[in-house]
Amino acid sequence: MSGTRTSTDRARRAGSFDRRHFLIAAGGFLAAAAFPWHRWLRDLRFTAIPIEEHSPNAALGHRLRDGTIPAEAPAGAIEDVPVLVLGGGIAGLSAAWWLSRNGFSDYLLLELEDRTGGNSMSGENAVSAYPWGAHYLPIPNAESRFVHEFLEEIGAITGRDGKGRPTFDETMICHDAVERLWIEGKFQEGIVPQAGLTGDERAEMRRFFDEMRRFGDRKGSDGRPIFAIPIAEGSRDRFRAKDLAELDRMSMAEWLDREGYRSRPLRWYLNYACRDDFGSPLERTSAWAGIHYHAARRGVAANADSQAILAWPEGNGFLAGKLRALGAGKIRAGEAATRISVEGDAVLVDTLRANDGARSRIRAKSVVVATPRFVANRILPEAARAPIDSAVYAPWLVANLTVEDLPGTTEEGHAPLTAWDNVSYYSDSLGYVVATHQTESIARGSVLTHYWPLSDRPAKEARLRAARTTPAEWRERILADLEGMHPDIRSRVTRIDYRVWGHGMISPAPGYLSGDERAGLERSFGRVHFAHSDISGMSLFEEAQYRGVLAAKRVLSDLGRTERRGKV
Ligand SMILES: Cc1cc2nc3c(=O)[nH]c(=O)nc-3n(C[C@H](O)[C@H](O)[C@H](O)COP(=O)(O)OP(=O)(O)OC[C@H]3O[C@@H](n4cnc5c(N)ncnc54)[C@H](O)[C@@H]3O)c2cc1C
């Protein structure tokens, strides 16, 4: 019975099974056909792109901030060194270079990170070396004397022509195409927008650049240019003249409004420029600084355009490496200064090793503090601290994307085919530079260094937000950003390495450059001398190097040594 029923039931069930499964299968098929597989596969591939963070040692920095490092003297013998340099960025390395250049190598340089370079450091993988921050040096102005001396010493300047103009090593001059802008669906050469401008917009651009030329030609009562690099080599009137002091107190946006510069493409470009050099938008950048960007560059070269730049696969990591190699003293990386005190003629510096937490004390005759001042203020004795409430340090994201081949090289409408610097008119980032541009070897692929000043909100807020952003979120933001220029970017990227620079660079906010606080940073505290680009108020190689050399000069004077060359 049951068998019959069973078989009948089975037969009935079998019939209904077939129909049901047919319907499910058919429905499934239709759903599958409608499913956006290509996107799913793409996303699957992109979520598999490995991403790794390489941010600076924030934990140690936060211990300094929070005061959790013991205040009492470390146990053990005190190490004696005549001169101690704290911080191995361009300023600290330049101080060491200048000491060595003047025959003094009995110094010790301490660097918190596991290698020197600061925000001019670089990395390397099987495909190419690449920058982690600073990536180029413009052909230097005549007044950038120490830069010339340094470039001569490392062979980047190979000679001079009959007019005394330096000849630069051709392999270091960034070759064409230097930069391009993605605008209105294609690339144009150069970053100043050209496509689709109205007559009025063109006229406004011309008016702006003519005005910048006049600012560039302007001299003070001492005959020196108002806008110079380093800034301190400019006229003493640079902030004294009423109109110039006023420029520093207003923002670039306010100045543009006042002068009637309203065109969107021009303001886009000027905002790009402020974010590029200062990490801050028009609204939060001093107008004096914004004008300096366009008026101060007067590069001199026998074999290059005055606006040409020098670039290397590893960016300014190349220059940091050369400075390190020329310094004849000792360097200890992975060891931070945690406390500075003065006892009689001696300066005592307590240190902490990053890897094992070992603490020690060093006694020096002179010390160069080449850390940012917000760090120095945490480790200096009370009397030596300088108020820096007006200092703004801009956060940045720098990502290195290893790619199988260069995006845009095979697509139509991408002319010129590649450029060193690639920027989108529609993006919040600054685009990317190509690490292999100078070598022209892309047989093993390339590395694209993607720059993103986190300037959409005030620095502190942006820094906190960046600290909370996960690697997966950065991956999506970076790829989505680059997709605007290169829709196929995801299929070319094989890995992403990134670094969040919480305090990437000093931003010249309105009032900072001409203010008393910044001027106060120039002063030494006895035999403790300061050297960092934040003393200049602009984060440029030339400024950091200048500050390092000035501090080294003060050290040489402390030691009663006469310099062989290069008097300021
Ligand atoms: C993303 C980015 C891109 C840039 N691009 C360019 C560019 O293309 N061209 C250009 O000219 N400039 C560029 N800059 C500016 C760059 O900042 C300067 O060129 C220069 O590297 C600044 O050097 P510095 O020595 O003043 O400062 P830093 O690089 O800040 O050096 C300070 C050093 O002190 C160390 N330190 C901190 N605390 C301690 C402690 N307690 N003990 C010991 N060591 C400590 C730090 O680790 C660091 O190495 C860029 C900056 C950023 C962030």
Side-chain angles (χ1 to χ4, degrees), residues 44 46 57 108 122 187 195 204 210-211 242 319 380 399 417 442 502-503 540 563:
L44 188 68
F46 117 72
N57 191 339
L108 169 67
S122 58
F187 280 111
E204 205 170 89
D210 284 348
E211 192 160 4
K242 194 166 165 279
L319 300 173
L380 282 163
L417 287 181
I442 55 164
H503 295 82
L540 302 173
E563 281 186 45

Side-chain angles (χ1 to χ4, degrees), residues 64 86-92 110-113 115-120 132-138 316 335-338 370-372 375 379 396 398 451 501 504-505 531-534 539-542 544:
L64 288 177
L86 307 176
I90 295 299
L110 296 185
E111 165 54 48
L112 174 157
E113 295 288 320
R115 63 213 151 102
T116 52
N119 50 28
S120 291
W132 268 127
H135 45 302
Y136 71 99
L137 177 68
N316 291 11
E335 188 168 342
T338 57
T371 70
V375 175
I379 60 179
W396 282 71
V398 179
Y451 286 92
W501 294 99
M505 56 165 66
H532 190 270
S533 44
D534 59 6
S539 196
L540 302 173
F541 178 87
E542 299 92 321

Side-chain angles (χ1 to χ4, degrees), residues 70-76 339 350 359-361:
E72 73 272 9
R339 193 158 177 269
D350 294 348
R359 296 174 60 230
S360 61
R361 175 165 279 198

Side-chain angles (χ1 to χ4, degrees), residues 71-121:
E72 73 272 9
I78 297 179
E79 186 180 351
D80 274 294
V81 295
V83 175
L84 188 58
V85 179
L86 307 176
I90 295 299
L93 290 171
S94 295
W97 165 68
W98 194 258
L99 292 174
S100 302
R101 194 169 159 81
N102 282 280
F104 183 83
S105 56
D106 207 359
Y107 63 81
L108 169 67
L109 184 151
L110 296 185
E111 165 54 48
L112 174 157
E113 295 288 320
D114 56 7
R115 63 213 151 102
T116 52
N119 50 28
S120 291
M121 75 167 51

